[in-house]
Amino acid sequence: MVGGKKKTKICDKVSHEEDRISQLPEPLISEILFHLSTKDSVRTSALSTKWRYLWQSVPGLDLDPYASSNTNTIVSFVESFFDSHRDSWIRKLRLDLGYHHDKYDLMSWIDAATTRRIQHLDVHCFHDNKIPLSIYTCTTLVHLRLRWAVLTNPEFVSLPCLKIMHFENVSYPNETTLQKLISGSPVLEELILFSTMYPKGNVLQLRSDTLKRLDINEFIDVVIYAPLLQCLRAKMYSTKNFQIISSGFPAKLDIDFVNTGGRYQKKKVIEDILIDISRVRDLVISSNTWKEFFLYSKSRPLRQFRYISHLNARFYISDLEMLPTLLESCPKLESLILEMVKNQSTRRHGEKREPNVMVSTVPWCLVSSLKFVELKRSIPRYEGEMELVRYFLTNSTVLKKLRLNVYYTKKAKCAFLTELVAIPRCSSTCVVLVL
């Protein structure tokens, strides 16, 4: 006590401060809870009396099989959710059914969602779960993601708002089902087909006047007519699995090619892919793919990719000697993201090859156009890493930014930075960022 006044304790002051989140309007709180899983949203009911029932107003359900160990509890909860939203809309329904899929009435749940103006539907089934016909005529659906689902054959498809279709390990009754889905989605912008169980021997005839992004893997062959296509991501084994027949060509190509076929077959596939690459501005390429191209080009004139301005490449650390060849192939390159990965064959056979990027000539893009470089790795520091940094800093005339996305211990990072600042820079405006 001083002068008869009692000191105010800091803890007392904090305890009387207002809860700012609770003062937000309830619609805004509901929007915040909408972006949480349902399990986490329900947990907020323990915060205070005001929060006790707020989660019930969230227009979405996001459940996984681990939300409760009791399947009857999950069934009861889901059915109660639909009953409470009988006269309101549901923006999102995400269900991961897990191993207890036979305990759930998936078809009736999806039917209920389609009558409540569902926008985002994400269902992870378990092999034999069929999707009801109501999904094909849901007029409010914007985003559809299905995993391990079995589609039925619709007579009619009308999905006027669907922009994103994402199928993983989905089974189709025949080759026309997927074509009907695509043609019945007049504003479709993104299509992802991963490990899709498309009828063997059939080629998907993909026609869309609105499609901008397409992602396919090695289990499906596609003939593409999509004049607005901006990005194509394709993974292929031995054979090329796509053909573009529309007049334009996507600006971005993401290619992953693994050769398992004969020499003649590989040669034909590589020649076709190289022609496609020569038409794009933005290229993402895997380490295996570039290595195949490099070996193919050794006995041939160096191919020029004159349109490529952005390149994202993965390299095995033992293959860095191929980097100058890649850069020489892209005379107008402006942006390079280079990710170093550990060579699997090196790990198996115990080889140790130190990378070497020393060359007698400097690729034209380093002198004229390369403005941004990012070097990153998800592996421990490798021999030659500083040499690679030095290569870009001392040879890139117009480089504006070099980003090093690498990890070091505190002691090693100090030594790395000391060596880094001592490297002379060819570009006086270059900024180096170490993340």
Side-chain angles (χ1 to χ4, degrees), residues 332-393:
K332 297 182 179 179
L333 188 65
E334 296 180 6
S335 173
L336 171 66
I337 299 176
L338 188 63
E339 181 180 359
M340 304 311 302
V341 295
K342 194 167 186 177
N343 193 343
Q344 293 179 342
S345 62
T346 300
R347 226 172 23 235
R348 270 199 307 270
H349 303 300
E351 298 180 14
K352 187 173 182 181
R353 292 177 53 200
E354 291 189 1
N356 179 18
V357 295
M358 296 296 293
V359 289
S360 56
T361 59
V362 177
W364 177 248
C365 66
L366 268 66
V367 176
S368 63
S369 58
L370 190 63
K371 298 175 182 177
F372 173 81
V373 175
E374 179 176 1
L375 303 178
K376 58 183 181 179
R377 55 174 166 81
S378 55
I379 56 177
R381 182 180 181 180
Y382 54 91
E383 291 293 329
E385 182 171 50
M386 184 57 75
E387 192 60 36
L388 182 60
V389 174
R390 187 186 306 275
Y391 175 74
F392 284 107
L393 285 178

Side-chain angles (χ1 to χ4, degrees), residues 153-214:
N153 189 29
E155 292 185 6
F156 176 70
V157 176
S158 178
L159 299 167
C161 295
L162 189 67
K163 292 186 176 182
I164 300 174
M165 189 186 302
H166 185 162
F167 289 168
E168 297 180 35
N169 300 297
V170 171
S171 298
Y172 310 91
N174 54 56
E175 69 274 10
T176 63
T177 304
L178 184 54
Q179 291 176 0
K180 286 181 180 179
L181 273 166
I182 296 170
S183 61
S185 306
V187 296
L188 187 66
E189 294 183 359
E190 181 174 324
L191 176 62
I192 300 173
L193 303 173
F194 180 72
S195 296
T196 298
M197 299 175 189
Y198 200 66
K200 192 172 182 180
N202 290 282
V203 177
L204 172 64
Q205 302 292 328
L206 194 164
R207 299 184 67 89
S208 174
D209 292 328
T210 57
L211 191 67
K212 296 178 181 178
R213 293 174 295 278
L214 175 63

Side-chain angles (χ1 to χ4, degrees), residues 276-313:
D276 290 336
I277 291 177
S278 66
R279 302 167 67 185
V280 302
R281 296 193 303 270
D282 193 338
L283 176 66
V284 180
I285 192 168
S286 69
S287 48
N288 283 324
T289 308
W290 172 243
K291 192 166 186 176
E292 291 287 351
F293 293 165
F294 177 79
L295 295 174
Y296 170 84
S297 303
K298 265 192 168 181
S299 57
R300 297 170 176 81
L302 186 65
R303 187 179 291 267
Q304 296 288 293
F305 306 120
R306 299 188 182 280
Y307 294 113
I308 292 181
S309 59
H310 294 79
L311 174 64
N312 188 327

Side-chain angles (χ1 to χ4, degrees), residues 224-230 243-251 276 279:
I224 305 164
Y225 178 84
L228 297 184
L229 191 65
Q230 297 173 0
Q243 179 185 357
I244 298 176
I245 60 174
S246 42
S247 56
F249 199 85
D276 290 336
R279 302 167 67 185

Side-chain angles (χ1 to χ4, degrees), residues 68-102:
S68 173
S69 58
N70 190 326
T71 56
N72 292 329
T73 300
I74 294 179
V75 170
S76 177
F77 185 88
V78 173
E79 293 181 349
S80 175
F81 171 80
F82 283 119
D83 285 340
S84 65
H85 288 77
R86 189 178 300 276
D87 299 320
S88 59
W89 71 321
I90 298 175
R91 288 166 54 190
K92 175 179 68 175
L93 177 64
R94 192 190 77 84
L95 297 172
D96 189 341
L97 302 186
Y99 293 101
H100 301 294
H101 61 101
D102 56 328

